[in-house]
Amino acid sequence: MGALHFPLLLAATLLFSLSSVALTAYEEAAIALRQKLAFEHHHHPTDHALKDALYSDPNNFTGNWVGPDVCAYNGVFCVPSLHNETESAVATLDMNAADVAGYLPKEIGLMRDLAVLHLNSNRFCGVIPEEIRNMTELYEFDASNNRFVGPFPAAVLGVPKLSYLDIRFNDFDGPIPPELFLKPYDAIFLNNNRFTSGIPETIGKSRATVIVLANNELGGCIPRSIGDAAATLDQFTFTNNSLTGCLPVEMGLLTNATVFDVSGNALTGAIPRTLAGLSRVEQLDLSRNMFTGDVPRDICQLPALANLSVSYNFFTREDAACSALDRSMNESFHDEANCMGQSRPAQRNAGECTPVVNHPVDCTKGSKISDKSHNQETTDLHKCISRIHHRTPEHEKHNLCVLVTGALGGRFDHEAANINVLYLFSDMRIILLSDDCLIRLLPKTHRHELYIESSVEGPHCGLFPVGAPSTNTTTTGLKWNLSESKMRFGSMISTSNIVQSEKVTVQSDADLLWTISLRNLA
């Protein structure tokens, strides 16, 4: 089969699965026998099963699907069988634009010689059957523009030779499985569904030349790993997906890309200077986002650029080379609805611009990854708190509160190590959280006032010394208050107490751990 070719402006044109009951071994054997007998009498049971699964065929597309000459059926193309050259096998089933309505029967999986299955622009609904994974020669699968529903049809990932996957314009929902981008597909079209839960990090592992995810509900950020797809990625369209965050600088590594479309999202920050590396890009669409700053010269002087849109953002200026594109690109440059004032036509007013322009997002202040795995003397929590402690100015430490989720409820030695961190960094307010309680340290250096949020906290609470006994602890606001009381392990500690006031006060000559129950808000 020859190489696939795709038109440049994908945005214009490219802009179930419910759990299927698999065939039992008995059913498959019966169908296989029926297929063998049918071939001996020059019939094809799969085509007949598909015809029987249709409940509407207004154009009579399957009208000639009768008689022994299966290869003469509309949409059917045959070649010698890979398993027996004396017999014909259906290699292609092309039902594009037949306008039929129905469902895919599980017998479709018996068409093991089929290389191309085109079902585009029909009214197929329901599920894509699990048996499709048995189509061992299937190379192209186009089920676009139908009425399939449910989560991503995972069965297609089991088709061993699949290279072209097109399920756009359906009603699939839920997350895109990370495994999708680990398959050796050449083209992936998922646009115009209802996929959610972000773009998988594995997109950088893809070797596809075309990836179209437009018009879904993905949300989240564009993974930085996308730069790893530079060797093969030619065209990608992420339009209208509620994507947030900054454009990863790694997108500048996509030197083979000809179509770069992230329009219609909520992306912020400045345009990365690394996009100057997009030496082959012909269509660059950054419109309808929340980008700020300037439109740099390098972007407007990309050597292969034929169409550039930065409209409907919050750019405050653009290089003169960009303005010159108005004349050189014959209406293929768009910069309206930005914040460039009188220097460019059709700009936003000050009321729209000021709230965004005065609070720009600095994309250079991302998270830095620091590898401390070589240090086995401290726990991961210790390393994290140590980093925070080191980077927080001394005068700000008293305002800092660090919440540590999942710190309680597991192995006791892990819990003890986490509690030890409270003592090691006693000048910081660190709160350890589990599903049903919290723990924090009350250093002896202060008289503590604890304001109880009764809708979330309490009523059960406790106070106990760890590391050293207390010879003098006094509290207010508890059912059983302490008055200059002594506490130590092996003697009295305050457990199973009850909060009776919105404010609890604690003063002690020793460091104490305070714990209080959390309400289940589910």
Side-chain angles (χ1 to χ4, degrees), residues 6-20:
F6 303 96
L8 174 61
L9 301 182
L10 286 172
T13 59
L14 303 178
L15 300 166
F16 80 132
S17 147
L18 299 176
S19 190
S20 176

Side-chain angles (χ1 to χ4, degrees), residues 142-191:
D142 183 355
S144 62
N145 198 19
N146 279 286
R147 299 175 183 176
F148 293 117
V149 298
F152 183 94
V156 301
L157 300 179
V159 179
K161 294 186 179 179
L162 194 65
S163 178
Y164 178 100
L165 176 63
D166 188 349
I167 56 172
R168 56 196 163 106
F169 289 98
N170 279 288
D171 206 22
F172 295 113
D173 57 25
I176 297 172
E179 297 83 359
L180 172 66
F181 297 114
L182 302 180
K183 299 295 181 179
Y185 297 161
D186 183 60
I188 300 171
F189 299 98
L190 307 186
N191 52 292

Side-chain angles (χ1 to χ4, degrees), residues 316-489:
T316 51
R317 66 174 298 276
E318 65 186 23
D319 191 273
C322 303
S323 303
L325 294 177
D326 255 352
R327 299 183 296 275
S328 62
M329 294 183 68
N330 297 323
E331 298 185 356
S332 293
F333 171 65
H334 303 279
D335 66 352
E336 68 274 13
N338 279 287
C339 300
M340 302 183 212
Q342 299 299 315
S343 65
R344 296 296 296 161
Q347 298 297 296
R348 298 179 188 269
N349 59 46
E352 292 179 274
C353 292
T354 300
V356 178
V357 171
N358 287 355
H359 299 88
V361 174
D362 186 351
C363 295
T364 65
K365 294 183 178 179
S367 298
K368 182 179 179 180
I369 298 176
S370 180
D371 185 3
K372 301 292 184 181
S373 59
H374 60 280
N375 181 359
Q376 296 298 305
E377 300 300 319
T378 59
T379 66
D380 291 341
L381 178 60
H382 186 148
K383 293 180 176 70
C384 291
I385 298 300
S386 177
R387 179 76 171 177
I388 295 170
H389 189 270
H390 175 72
R391 294 179 65 87
T392 303
E394 201 63 37
H395 67 279
E396 292 183 8
K397 284 190 172 74
H398 71 282
N399 291 323
L400 186 66
C401 180
V402 180
L403 302 179
V404 184
T405 61
L408 305 170
R411 280 170 41 183
F412 180 71
D413 58 329
H414 289 172
E415 291 182 328
N418 293 338
I419 290 171
N420 188 47
V421 169
L422 302 183
Y423 283 81
L424 291 169
F425 299 95
S426 60
D427 58 339
M428 295 175 62
R429 186 160 43 133
I430 305 169
I431 299 177
L432 307 181
L433 294 166
S434 73
D435 290 340
D436 49 20
C437 74
L438 65 80
I439 294 178
R440 60 173 293 192
L441 181 69
L442 304 182
K444 62 184 178 182
T445 52
H446 296 85
R447 177 181 180 272
H448 299 274
E449 295 184 353
L450 308 175
Y451 291 89
I452 309 302
E453 181 57 62
S454 59
S455 64
V456 178
E457 301 175 279
H460 302 99
C461 63
L463 278 168
F464 42 93
V466 174
S470 166
T471 60
N472 190 328
T473 297
T474 299
T475 66
T476 65
L478 302 179
K479 184 174 182 178
W480 298 285
N481 280 309
L482 304 175
S483 179
E484 300 181 356
S485 302
K486 296 180 180 180
M487 291 194 298
R488 66 180 177 85
F489 280 93

Side-chain angles (χ1 to χ4, degrees), residues 50-105:
L50 180 55
K51 183 175 181 180
D52 291 342
L54 303 179
Y55 51 80
S56 177
D57 185 3
N59 299 319
N60 200 29
F61 182 86
T62 62
N64 74 336
W65 284 21
V66 293
D69 191 2
V70 174
C71 298
Y73 290 5
N74 283 340
V76 173
F77 300 90
C78 295
V79 296
S81 172
L82 294 174
H83 308 293
N84 187 341
E85 292 186 358
T86 65
E87 296 179 346
S88 293
V90 176
T92 297
L93 178 56
D94 186 350
M95 299 182 70
N96 283 354
D99 195 30
V100 297
Y103 65 93
L104 282 185

Side-chain angles (χ1 to χ4, degrees), residues 94-297:
D94 186 350
M95 299 182 70
N96 283 354
D99 195 30
V100 297
Y103 65 93
L104 282 185
K106 54 190 177 182
E107 286 88 350
I108 198 79
L110 294 175
M111 301 181 75
R112 292 183 174 89
D113 289 323
L114 197 71
V116 177
L117 179 57
H118 285 174
L119 306 174
N120 183 308
S121 301
N122 286 289
R123 289 171 289 143
F124 284 106
C125 60
V127 302
I128 292 178
E130 288 290 324
E131 287 73 18
I132 196 171
R133 68 177 69 246
N134 298 328
M135 302 177 74
T136 54
E137 301 300 324
L138 190 63
Y139 181 84
E140 291 185 20
F141 180 54
D142 183 355
S144 62
N145 198 19
N146 279 286
R147 299 175 183 176
F148 293 117
V149 298
F152 183 94
V156 301
L157 300 179
V159 179
K161 294 186 179 179
L162 194 65
S163 178
Y164 178 100
L165 176 63
D166 188 349
I167 56 172
R168 56 196 163 106
F169 289 98
N170 279 288
D171 206 22
F172 295 113
D173 57 25
I176 297 172
E179 297 83 359
L180 172 66
F181 297 114
L182 302 180
K183 299 295 181 179
Y185 297 161
D186 183 60
I188 300 171
F189 299 98
L190 307 186
N191 52 292
N192 296 83
N193 283 284
R194 294 191 296 126
F195 290 118
T196 60
S197 304
I199 301 172
E201 290 286 338
T202 52
I203 193 169
K205 303 282 188 182
S206 177
R207 292 299 171 257
T209 59
V210 180
I211 300 176
V212 183
L213 308 179
N215 302 315
N216 282 286
E217 303 166 12
L218 292 172
C221 300
I222 299 174
R224 296 175 61 181
S225 64
I226 192 170
D228 296 335
T232 55
L233 191 55
D234 176 36
Q235 303 178 23
F236 65 93
T237 304
F238 296 167
T239 305
N240 296 333
N241 267 299
S242 301
L243 299 175
T244 58
C246 302
L247 275 183
V249 296
E250 290 81 1
M251 297 190 88
L253 299 174
L254 301 174
T255 54
N256 288 313
T258 59
V259 174
F260 182 123
D261 189 345
V262 294
S263 61
N265 289 291
L267 298 168
T268 56
I271 298 177
R273 302 290 172 172
T274 57
L275 295 196
L278 301 175
S279 57
R280 297 184 182 179
V281 76
E282 300 174 29
Q283 176 179 315
L284 177 58
D285 195 343
L286 306 175
S287 66
R288 299 184 184 276
N289 281 287
M290 299 185 69
F291 293 122
T292 54
D294 66 308
V295 183
R297 169 187 291 267

